């Protein structure tokens, strides 16, 4: 165990009690993962706080609650190949990699992509690939995916991501008509088409790219 054990346990208690995260597998993973490895050195002491924190490139490591919620909504069983857009710090990638078979993560800022991969390897994750590219185009060669998680807010669901989602698969993404606030949306692909449901307001950094904000 490490010096952050107590704040980490408190974080998980709040996820369960206050935020009503019910998937014990998600809570268990977040109780084990060293989130402090994914925040800038100067912010380590704040790593388990109930908010997003700044990382390089003017981006953020998402609030623990939103990481837990998005992961829970994907209902992972351990067998999935997951596409993640907006790897950022790599923390969400580590959560997904602990609950699914293989993670294909895309990040548009080169330095973040490089550092996220280094951190994941250092922690022993071999089942994550991180690519520096515009994730609104998905990652065609590895499609289709059973699950897709987008960690940045776009004006609509990028068309390539819908095409790369397997039938029966689920996609979670923050959608909003401005660059500051969004609604968390889950899209399920069925034999007949796409069904989407809303899961409340949220605030993400913008999804910038060909099929996002310009
Ligand atoms: N889950 C990450 C969230 C990082 S913030 C974490 O908790 O650390 C969202 C990230 O999405 C940023 O790093 C941003 O650079 C990235 N991003 C924005 N638009 C993107 C795009 N079109 N393709 C890939 N990454 C994108």
């Amino acid at each position: 165990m490490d010096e952050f054990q107590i704040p980490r346990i408190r974080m998980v208690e709040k996820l369960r009690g206050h935020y009503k995260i019910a998937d014990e597998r998600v809570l268990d993973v977040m109780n084990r993962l060293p989130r402090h490895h994914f925040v800038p050195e100067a912010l380590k002491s704040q790593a388990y706080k109930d908010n997003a924190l700044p990382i390089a490139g003017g981006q953020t490591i998402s609030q623990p609650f939103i990481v837990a919620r998005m992961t829970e909504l994907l209902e992972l069983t351990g067998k999935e190949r997951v596409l993640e857009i907006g790897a950022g710090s790599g923390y969400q990638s580590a959560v997904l990699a602990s609950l699914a078979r293989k993670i294909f993560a895309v990040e548009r800022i080169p330095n973040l992509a490089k550092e996220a991969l280094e951190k994941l390897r250092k922690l022993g994750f071999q089942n994550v690939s991180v690519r520096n590219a515009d994730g609104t185009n998905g990652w065609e060669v590895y499609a289709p995916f059973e699950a897709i998680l987008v960690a940045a807010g776009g004006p609509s669901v990028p068309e390539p991501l819908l095409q790369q989602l397997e039938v029966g698969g689920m996609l979670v993404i923050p959608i909003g008509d401005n660059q500051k606030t969004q609604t968390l949306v889950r899209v399920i692909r069925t034999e007949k088409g796409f069904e989407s449901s809303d899961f409340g307001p949220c605030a993400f950094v913008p999804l910038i790219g060909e099929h996002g904000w310009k």
Side-chain angles (χ1 to χ4, degrees), residues 30-49:
M30 292 181 71
N31 200 24
R32 284 187 281 117
L33 274 182
R35 184 170 158 92
H36 57 279
H37 282 212
F38 294 92
V39 307
E41 194 61 39
L43 296 176
K44 269 203 176 13
S45 66
Q46 299 183 46
Y48 296 92
K49 285 199 168 162

Side-chain angles (χ1 to χ4, degrees), residues 10-117:
R10 289 220 180 96
M11 173 187 82
V12 171
E13 280 171 354
K14 187 158 191 182
L15 292 173
R16 188 188 283 113
H18 178 77
Y19 288 112
K20 310 293 178 208
I21 300 297
D23 189 334
E24 286 297 329
R25 293 167 322 135
V26 175
L27 294 170
D28 178 57
V29 165
M30 292 181 71
N31 200 24
R32 284 187 281 117
L33 274 182
R35 184 170 158 92
H36 57 279
H37 282 212
F38 294 92
V39 307
E41 194 61 39
L43 296 176
K44 269 203 176 13
S45 66
Q46 299 183 46
Y48 296 92
K49 285 199 168 162
D50 184 22
N51 46 253
L53 292 170
I55 55 174
Q59 305 302 315
T60 55
I61 173 171
S62 304
Q63 181 189 11
F65 157 61
I66 206 75
V67 171
R69 192 81 182 111
M70 291 182 103
T71 308
E72 178 174 69
L73 286 173
L74 289 176
E75 299 177 6
L76 300 170
T77 66
K79 292 188 230 128
E80 297 82 2
R81 296 161 67 259
V82 184
L83 175 66
E84 182 197 7
I85 310 304
S89 68
Y91 177 71
Q92 172 81 72
S93 323
V95 172
L96 294 170
S98 307
L99 292 164
R101 180 154 61 91
K102 167 88 201 193
I103 314 306
F104 300 88
V106 187
E107 168 55 53
R108 69 178 276 273
I109 299 181
N111 222 25
L112 286 177
K114 181 170 164 282
E115 281 176 22
L117 184 62

Side-chain angles (χ1 to χ4, degrees), residues 135-149:
T136 65
N137 288 311
W139 197 338
E140 180 102 58
V141 285
Y142 295 112
F145 302 95
E146 287 98 354
I148 301 180
L149 185 155

Side-chain angles (χ1 to χ4, degrees), residues 125-192:
F125 288 101
Q126 298 299 332
N127 60 336
V128 188
S129 297
V130 186
R131 176 193 191 198
N132 171 224
D134 173 5
T136 65
N137 288 311
W139 197 338
E140 180 102 58
V141 285
Y142 295 112
F145 302 95
E146 287 98 354
I148 301 180
L149 185 155
V150 185
S156 59
V157 187
E159 188 58 38
L161 301 188
L162 292 174
Q163 281 162 15
Q164 292 173 30
L165 184 63
E166 192 159 296
V167 173
M170 299 190 198
L171 178 159
V172 288
I173 181 171
I175 296 293
D177 54 16
N178 66 71
Q179 294 193 14
K180 291 249 152 73
T181 57
Q182 305 91 18
T183 301
L184 190 58
V185 174
R186 179 172 71 182
V187 179
I188 301 179
R189 183 167 197 173
T190 67
E191 297 282 356
K192 295 197 189 99

